[in-house]
């Protein structure tokens, strides 16, 4: 972590109906202090159906937690049954939208091209994309991890201006570490997050690389976050399973206080 502001994001995936989402958010907020809010940005990314109720709770109680989404379409409106458009999310004051998560790529066939369209649509509506990248175990064992991540980052950011990239977030999530309890070692995570930043520097310039925040994701827990956050190119975390538990997620946001 350099002097970029840390961003810890909770991807709730397909968990929590709107009652559970509200309870989880309130418990999380209860555990966070003013100092946490001064030092760290935190976001939650519930299923679409929970976004409006959480917006009301966040704004009514002035909670220091940003609202996020897990996906969106790239068009503003139209005949796209089942999809949600970026302006609809902007209207609910969504700040961050995850795009190109490995589950969307692998299970729902999202391509690099789709992900690039989403990145540009999110920026157009003045929200922040969290662009995901990461390799499978087979790709890592074949020595292809860097090339895969480089391709995903270049394609995801194609034709995005450098000053916009500077304000973005890129999440490096090795697929073999997601939900497996198997975290990348902090050195491996640093090496790949460093690769992400080098690719950004090469494609979009030094200022973009200095500004972009790079998150690590994959079995992040209260017990491993502190060490990950000491790494120079890791600016935050995209947390799945552990973000469903408000105690664990608060401790991850409070990484500086962990033993
Ligand atoms: P886990 O933290 O459950 O491994 O999930 C990581 C992830 O996919 C976050 O987007």
């Amino acid at each position: 972590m350099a002097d970029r502001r840390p961003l810890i994001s909770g991807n709730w995936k397909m968990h929590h109906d709107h009652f559970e989402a509200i309870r989880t958010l309130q418990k999380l907020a209860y555990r966070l202090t003013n100092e946490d809010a001064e030092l760290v940005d935190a976001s939650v990314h519930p299923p679409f159906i929970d976004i409006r109720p959480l917006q009301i709770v966040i704004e009514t109680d002035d909670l220091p937690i940003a609202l996020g989404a897990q996906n969106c379409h790239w068009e503003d409106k139209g005949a796209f049954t089942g999809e949600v458009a970026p302006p609809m999310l902007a209207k609910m004051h969504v700040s961050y939208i995850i795009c190109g998560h490995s589950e969307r790529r692998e299970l729902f066939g999202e391509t690099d091209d789709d992900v690039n369209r989403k990145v540009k649509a999110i920026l157009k509506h003045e929200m922040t994309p969290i662009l995901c990248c990461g390799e499978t175990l087979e790709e890592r064992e074949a020595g292809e991890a860097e090339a895969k991540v480089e391709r995903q980052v270049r394609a995801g950011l194609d034709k995005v201006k450098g000053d916009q990239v500077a304000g973005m977030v890129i999440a490096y999530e090795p697929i073999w570490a997601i939900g497996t309890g198997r975290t990348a070692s902090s050195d491996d995570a640093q090496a790949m997050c460093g690769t992400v930043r080098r690719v950004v520097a090469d494609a979009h310039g030094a200022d973009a690389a200095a500004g972009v925040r790079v998150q690590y994701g994959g079995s992040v827990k209260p017990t491993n976050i502190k060490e990950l956050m000491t790494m120079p190119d890791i600016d935050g975390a995209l947390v799945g399973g552990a973000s469903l538990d408000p105690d664990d997620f608060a401790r991850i946001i409070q990484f500086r206080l962990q033993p």
Side-chain angles (χ1 to χ4, degrees):
M1 187 177 79
D3 49 5
R4 290 171 291 271
R5 201 172 151 76
L7 172 65
I8 307 287
S9 304
N11 176 7
W12 289 356
K13 307 192 179 183
M14 200 170 72
H15 295 282
H16 291 337
D17 63 36
H18 72 292
F19 290 117
E20 293 163 335
I22 290 171
R23 272 199 301 276
T24 305
L25 183 80
Q26 286 173 326
K27 286 182 184 165
L28 173 65
Y30 180 77
R31 286 158 177 74
L32 298 180
T33 64
N34 291 340
E35 193 185 20
D36 298 331
E38 273 164 34
L39 297 175
V40 182
D41 289 338
S43 63
V44 290
H45 300 248
F48 284 131
I49 198 162
D50 301 339
I51 290 178
R52 175 66 177 154
L54 291 197
Q55 180 207 357
I56 293 169
V57 174
I58 289 172
E59 293 180 3
T60 306
D61 295 344
D62 197 19
L63 304 183
I65 299 166
L67 197 49
Q70 299 173 15
N71 183 29
C72 65
H73 197 268
W74 55 82
E75 293 289 346
D76 285 0
K77 59 179 159 186
F80 301 102
T81 301
E83 294 292 318
V84 172
M88 299 170 183
L89 297 169
K91 201 70 157 206
M92 289 189 284
H93 301 167
V94 163
S95 303
Y96 300 95
I97 305 181
I98 297 170
C99 36
H101 191 280
S102 59
E103 287 152 17
R104 301 243 26 114
R105 294 178 190 259
E106 297 215 314
L107 304 174
F108 302 100
E110 274 187 24
T111 64
D112 281 336
D113 236 29
D114 298 338
V115 176
N116 177 244
R117 287 195 191 102
K118 292 180 187 200
V119 166
K120 289 188 286 199
I122 293 163
L123 289 167
K124 175 177 140 196
H125 291 283
E126 298 182 345
M127 296 174 286
T128 302
I130 300 181
L131 166 64
C132 297
C133 58
E135 79 286 359
T136 63
L137 189 56
E138 296 71 48
E139 288 163 338
R140 167 149 289 257
E141 286 172 349
E144 294 165 359
E146 296 214 348
K148 162 98 176 279
V149 163
E150 172 156 5
R151 190 203 79 217
Q152 289 179 320
V153 172
R154 281 187 190 276
L157 299 178
D158 189 40
K159 299 197 174 65
V160 180
K161 294 199 189 84
D163 58 333
Q164 290 188 304
V165 175
M168 276 185 55
V169 181
I170 300 178
Y172 166 64
E173 298 202 301
I175 294 167
W176 47 271
I178 295 178
T180 57
R182 205 179 145 188
T183 327
S185 71
S186 43
D187 287 340
D188 284 348
Q190 160 56 31
M192 292 301 290
C193 291
T195 297
V196 168
R197 203 177 300 284
R198 270 196 305 283
V199 172
V200 170
D202 187 53
H204 299 276
D207 288 350
V212 70
R213 289 187 287 182
V214 181
Q215 294 178 316
Y216 167 79
S219 298
V220 171
K221 304 279 182 257
T223 46
N224 58 27
I225 183 67
K226 190 175 186 182
E227 192 183 332
L228 287 163
M229 292 301 290
T230 62
M231 296 292 147
D233 285 306
I234 299 181
D235 306 312
L238 184 52
V239 185
S243 74
L244 297 173
D245 179 316
D247 278 319
D248 281 352
F249 194 43
R251 285 163 63 213
I252 292 171
I253 294 167
Q254 295 162 337
F255 61 87
R256 69 189 185 283
L257 307 176
Q258 301 314 310

